[in-house]
Amino acid sequence: AGGSLRVGALVKARLDASGRSFSASVHARNEDGTFDLSCDGSLVEGVPAALVEPVAVGAAVADSLLRDEPGGHIEGTSAFFDAFTAALTSGPKFRTLTAAQQAVASEKVQSLRPAFEEELAALRATRGEGATVTDVDIREMMPRVMARAARAAT
């Protein structure tokens, strides 16, 4: 599975008997075909290639991960949703609404939380548990969350 991975590549790996995949990056490729992985601030050595899968992220997300800017990475579902809400309610179009219209729009945004949580779970399934979610991820999720919410409403 991990035969062509390079040092620094984003991966997900099954690191315990739970069967769950965890987000990591390749720290080293070993001569025996195993990998040393950086996972949640720790080094996990000798992970068999069969337990390691590459993770594809878009260029903007990869750039955001490399920049490691304050506020660029968000932790926790509530913080993710707050960032999502801020992205939807801070634009120039939102600011042109009356206070009453802003209140209605904000309430509608809050109703998106179940669809947002489903999208966040899908992202974690793709990248592995503990994956860093960036501000770029949040912006890219918006159209998918809206589509999920629209499907749920019908």
Side-chain angles (χ1 to χ4, degrees):
S4 64
L5 293 173
R6 295 183 175 176
V7 171
L10 295 176
V11 298
K12 63 181 181 178
R14 293 182 308 280
L15 300 174
D16 62 24
S18 72
R20 297 179 308 179
S21 291
F22 296 89
S23 178
S25 63
V26 175
H27 180 78
R29 292 174 55 101
N30 301 316
E31 288 183 18
D32 64 359
T34 63
F35 292 93
D36 294 348
L37 304 176
S38 296
C39 181
D40 203 19
S42 299
L43 182 63
V44 181
E45 297 177 314
V47 179
L51 301 180
V52 179
E53 296 177 49
V55 171
V57 295
V61 171
D63 185 50
S64 180
L65 288 168
L66 290 173
R67 281 193 319 264
D68 200 22
E69 294 174 349
H73 305 161
I74 305 161
E75 299 295 329
T77 301
S78 290
F80 294 138
F81 190 71
D82 290 346
F84 175 78
T85 300
L88 288 175
T89 59
S90 63
K93 186 173 182 176
F94 185 83
R95 288 191 294 268
T96 65
L97 301 175
T98 67
Q101 290 170 321
Q102 286 182 356
V104 169
S106 293
E107 194 172 306
K108 286 184 179 182
V109 168
Q110 291 299 316
S111 73
L112 297 173
R113 188 167 181 137
F116 177 83
E117 288 176 349
E118 289 173 11
E119 190 62 36
L120 188 57
L123 184 136
R124 286 179 172 149
T126 300
R127 291 201 203 153
E129 293 191 32
T132 299
V133 178
T134 69
D135 55 337
V136 174
D137 289 312
I138 299 294
R139 284 193 304 275
E140 290 178 354
M141 273 187 207
M142 280 193 263
R144 296 190 304 265
V145 168
M146 302 300 242
R148 279 182 189 270
R151 284 191 304 271
T154 58

